[in-house]
Every structure is written in structure tokens, then in C-alpha cells.
Amino acid sequence: MPSIEDELFPSTPGKFKIDRSNRQLHRCFASTSTMFLWALFLIALTASYLSFQSFVDSGSRYLTASWGGIQWEKQVRTSAQIHRSGGISVLVTGATGFVGSHVSLALRKRGDGVVGLDNFNNYYDPSLKRARRSLLSSRGIFVVEGDLNDAKLLAKLFDVVAFTHVMHLAAQAGVRYAMENPQSYVHSNIAGLVNLLETCKSANPQPAIVWASSSSVYGLNEKVPFSESDRTDQPASLYAATKKAGEEITHTYNHIYGLAITGLRFFTVYGPWGRPDMAYFSFTRNILQGKPITIYRGKNRVDLARDFTFIDDIVKGCLGSLDSSGKSTGSGGKKRGSAPFRIFNLGNTSPVTVPILVDILEKHLKVKAKRNFVEMPGNGDVPFTHANISSARNEFGYKPTTDLETGLKKFVRWYLSYYGYNTKAKLVH
């Protein structure tokens, strides 16, 4: 088969008839034409190469992208399938986080469709999040690796699945870390929230949204127990300020676009598969390693107290909120009528001081702690929290049933198992 060169240029001399009287002119013309054709050929070859390279690069990006493609869409649809009558299809953000993983498993267990979304950031050891994802995967839950601020990803997810609900648990957590990396709180807790709401407002149908606010919004409030009607305009940390901003932002989207939105103010959640940055978790690690633990005290050496709430009780509150969320009334970004806007406390209603928490850990670990008492620094922490849960109880029957003694026993059993002691770690629901 002739090559491109053969097609364009004759290989046998004499195929061009040249008038002898104009030989020099024709030679010059032939030489110029040949150079011109070669130039065209090189330009065409270069253009073809660049076009092919662009195709290869695009294909490479497509193949290596963490989302997109036929197989990816199939995984998303399969995970979102509902397996019970009257079930719901839920997008869970922060699905490999502490609360997110538990809520995802509980939804799947009762037959709801669940698709997870998580960016696997390194605020704490991502290997724990990967382990949670493996657990979710074993139950048929697909977790998309991506960021809330990726508008194209969110739009694609809603294009593939008509989610009935969003359980928004993704956030930059932690009170003290805000002093080190404040931008991360704005990026996740404000910009990420707005991006999610923008996607939800434009979805057709619009999903109902339940999201995690925080008990931190009560800030310097001294009235106890904390009630949803109490003032929340004195945040003590940037984290609290971003959560308070989230409550105002969600109210705006409810008012303008008809999104049904429920905010949940969690009170110091603890339990198996918890966050390593939480006090009970780090205390356990240091006690087992023989290292001292730092226990903060308030003014006049008053012990700090927290309304510790076991993860299973929080999960019940999340599911109850989803089931009673009501429906969004907008369509394609336009409000058709008023929609529910609610905020609830989810706590245990029984504050316990930190020294007593350490006593319980010592009992279950069978190791004495090396306690180092320090005056609480001005880093955003508050001296106590105490939830009034009457609104959640009246609205969807929320009733915590796990006391701190029982909950910490379950946590210690998981911790010893997960970090290489006796049996394989399990997440029980």
C-alpha cells in the first residue's frame, strides 16, 4: 500500500512533462511546489499529532477521574436503589465520617437507597475513613470520592439519581483546629454548604435536606438547658460561627426556593468508629500508651461538663428527622409554596464532667490515667453543654437511651478490637 509520501509525490522521475524551453522556470516551480506540499504535509502531520495527543490526554483524564463514566453511573444507581415500600433515596455527604458512616449503614439496613460522598481529607488519619468506606462497601453502599465545592460533580449525581433526601454531614469539624486553619472552615462549612444548596434548589424534584449544625452555636449562652429558642449570636469559636452562618444560609434557601430543611444541633457525639480528635478517643489512646492526659478546668477550678450523646441515639435522631422532614415545594429553582424549616437539639440531656468520663475509661481499660489538670485556654471551648430535647421528642419521638457508662464500654470494646487487640472490629446496628 502506498505511503502518504507516495500519494503526494511521484517517486519516478519524468512523470511531469516539462517544456524544455521553460525548463529552468519549471524546475523552480517544481521545487517551490514540492516545498509547499512538504510544508502542508508537516502541518497536517503536526495537527494530527496534537489532535491525537489531546484525545489521549482527555481519555487518560476520563479513565483516571474519581467520578464519571458508564460504570460509575451504574454503581451510583445501584447504590441508590430503594429496597422497601415507602423507602427514600438519600445522598449522604461526609459518608465516611463518624456520624455519616453510622447513618448510612442504618439507612441501608432498613432498605433505603444510599449514595455517599466524601473528600477523605486529612484532618485526621484518612485510613480510618478508608476503613469505614470498606465497611459501607461491604453493605452495598457506594461512596463517591469528591468535594462539595465541585459543582459539576453534584450536578452529575442529581442527574443520575433523583434523590428524595440529602443528609448533609460533611463539614470541617473541631473547635480548636479553627485557630490553625480557618480557611478550611469557610471552604467546607460555608462555601461547600452553599454549593450543595445551589444544586438542590435547581434539582427537579427538589430533595428535602437534613444537615448537621452543632451545639457550639450556643456559644457563651449561660442559660441551661440549651433550647432551640435561646440566643445564638455569641459564638465562642470560628467553627461555631460557621455553623451559625449555616443556619442563616439554610433559612434563606428555604424562604426563597422552597427547600424543606432541618438543622440538627449535635451534642458531643461519641462511640465506636469515632473521631480521633475527640477527648474520649485521645484519652483512651494515651491511657493505653501510658502517656499523661490533659484535662481542662474552667474558672475557679470548675470541671468542664458535656452532654455526651451516644452515636446510636444520634442516628435515631437523624433518621427521625429524615422521615418527618416534609417535602420541598420548589421546582427548577422556583418556589411554589412554603416548606418546613426546622432546627432541633440532639443530645442526651445528662451532662457529665470530664473527670467522671476519665473514671469510666479507667474502669473499662483497667488502666489508671496520668491526669494533668490545666486551666481552660481561650481557644473556643465552652465550660458546659446541656441539651433540651423536648422539640425533637415532640416532633419525631426522639428519646436517647444510652448512658455514658454503657456507651463508653461499647467504645472501648471497639477500640481494643480495631487497633489490634482481640477480635475484628464490628459496627453494630
Side-chain angles (χ1 to χ4, degrees):
M1 181 176 179
S3 65
I4 295 177
E5 290 87 346
D6 294 334
E7 293 288 339
L8 291 175
F9 308 108
S11 59
T12 305
K15 287 194 175 181
F16 291 106
K17 288 188 176 182
I18 301 175
D19 190 343
R20 290 173 184 261
S21 62
N22 296 306
R23 183 171 298 180
Q24 295 299 325
L25 178 62
H26 283 288
R27 282 180 177 174
C28 179
F29 177 77
S31 176
T32 303
S33 298
T34 300
M35 291 178 65
F36 178 70
L37 288 172
W38 270 107
L40 284 177
F41 169 70
L42 290 173
I43 291 172
L45 191 63
T46 301
S48 298
Y49 171 77
L50 292 175
S51 177
F52 176 74
Q53 189 63 41
S54 175
F55 171 77
V56 170
D57 290 343
S58 298
S60 177
R61 285 192 297 269
Y62 177 80
L63 291 173
T64 59
S66 59
W67 62 271
I70 297 175
Q71 182 60 30
W72 180 85
E73 290 185 15
K74 182 179 179 181
Q75 289 177 296
V76 171
R77 289 194 182 96
T78 300
S79 189
Q81 286 181 353
I82 300 170
H83 298 283
R84 70 179 177 98
S85 176
I88 58 179
S89 180
V90 189
L91 173 64
V92 180
T93 71
T96 67
F98 174 30
V99 178
S101 57
H102 282 266
V103 170
S104 296
L105 288 167
L107 288 168
R108 171 62 79 201
K109 183 176 181 179
R110 70 179 197 174
D112 293 319
V114 184
V115 175
L117 174 65
D118 206 295
N119 68 357
F120 295 88
N121 69 28
N122 61 358
Y123 169 61
Y124 60 82
D125 185 5
S127 68
L128 184 56
K129 299 177 184 179
R130 303 285 178 189
R132 296 188 191 118
R133 180 168 71 171
S134 296
L135 185 58
L136 297 181
S137 179
S138 71
R139 309 291 174 86
I141 300 172
F142 180 58
V143 179
V144 176
E145 185 164 354
D147 195 274
L148 278 174
N149 287 284
D150 188 341
K152 291 183 179 179
L153 169 58
L154 291 181
K156 184 63 175 178
L157 284 170
F158 277 86
D159 181 56
V160 174
V161 176
F163 294 105
T164 62
H165 294 73
V166 171
M167 186 77 223
H168 177 44
L169 297 168
Q172 177 57 63
V175 169
R176 299 167 195 166
Y177 183 63
M179 299 181 71
E180 300 176 28
N181 189 5
Q183 290 81 7
S184 66
Y185 289 79
V186 176
H187 176 82
S188 296
N189 301 358
I190 296 179
L193 173 62
V194 170
N195 198 47
L196 177 64
L197 292 171
E198 280 291 304
T199 302
C200 291
K201 79 163 193 193
S202 301
N204 192 8
Q206 290 178 337
I209 302 168
V210 178
W211 73 288
S213 182
S214 170
S215 61
S216 294
V217 300
Y218 290 109
L220 303 178
N221 177 39
E222 295 182 352
K223 173 183 170 295
V224 291
F226 299 160
S227 298
E228 292 87 348
S229 59
D230 292 345
R231 63 183 298 183
T232 54
D233 58 352
Q234 294 179 301
S237 66
L238 179 61
Y239 168 70
T242 61
K243 287 299 185 178
K244 175 58 180 176
E247 293 186 352
E248 303 303 325
I249 290 168
T250 53
H251 181 273
T252 301
Y253 275 79
N254 165 265
H255 174 69
I256 297 177
Y257 301 110
L259 287 170
I261 299 178
T262 301
L264 301 176
R265 295 172 177 171
F266 295 157
F267 281 71
T268 316
V269 189
Y270 74 100
W273 294 95
R275 281 179 18 219
D277 63 309
M278 298 291 285
Y280 72 94
F281 202 114
S282 61
F283 285 172
T284 299
R285 179 176 61 248
N286 288 343
I287 290 172
L288 288 172
Q289 294 177 357
K291 297 179 180 178
I293 62 173
T294 299
I295 301 175
Y296 292 122
R297 278 179 168 164
K299 294 180 180 180
N300 301 318
R301 301 171 64 86
V302 173
D303 291 327
L304 305 188
R306 292 288 182 270
D307 198 345
F308 296 103
T309 312
F310 190 60
I311 182 61
D312 288 0
D313 292 323
I314 291 293
V315 169
K316 292 174 185 176
C318 289
L319 268 59
S321 298
L322 287 168
D323 292 340
S324 62
S325 63
K327 293 185 177 181
S328 295
T329 60
S331 176
K334 294 183 179 181
K335 180 179 179 180
R336 307 295 181 187
S338 61
F341 180 80
R342 312 178 302 171
I343 292 178
F344 297 112
N345 290 336
L346 293 186
N348 190 60
T349 75
S350 301
V352 177
T353 65
V354 176
I356 290 179
L357 175 140
V358 176
D359 290 343
I360 298 172
L361 286 175
E362 288 178 331
K363 174 183 175 182
H364 294 303
L365 292 171
K366 298 180 174 57
V367 180
K368 294 293 291 182
K370 299 176 181 178
R371 308 185 189 205
N372 180 27
F373 289 93
V374 176
E375 184 176 347
M376 183 177 65
N379 58 7
D381 273 327
V382 293
F384 60 86
T385 60
H386 184 185
N388 178 339
I389 60 169
S390 58
S391 293
R393 182 174 57 244
N394 294 337
E395 185 71 16
F396 50 85
Y398 174 69
K399 183 179 180 182
T401 58
T402 308
D403 60 25
L404 188 60
E405 172 83 32
T406 303
L408 284 179
K409 181 178 181 180
K410 292 181 178 180
F411 165 73
V412 168
R413 184 175 60 188
W414 168 83
Y415 186 97
L416 296 177
S417 174
Y418 180 80
Y419 287 100
Y421 287 79
N422 297 317
T423 60
K424 185 178 180 181
K426 291 183 178 180
L427 185 54
V428 180
H429 278 294

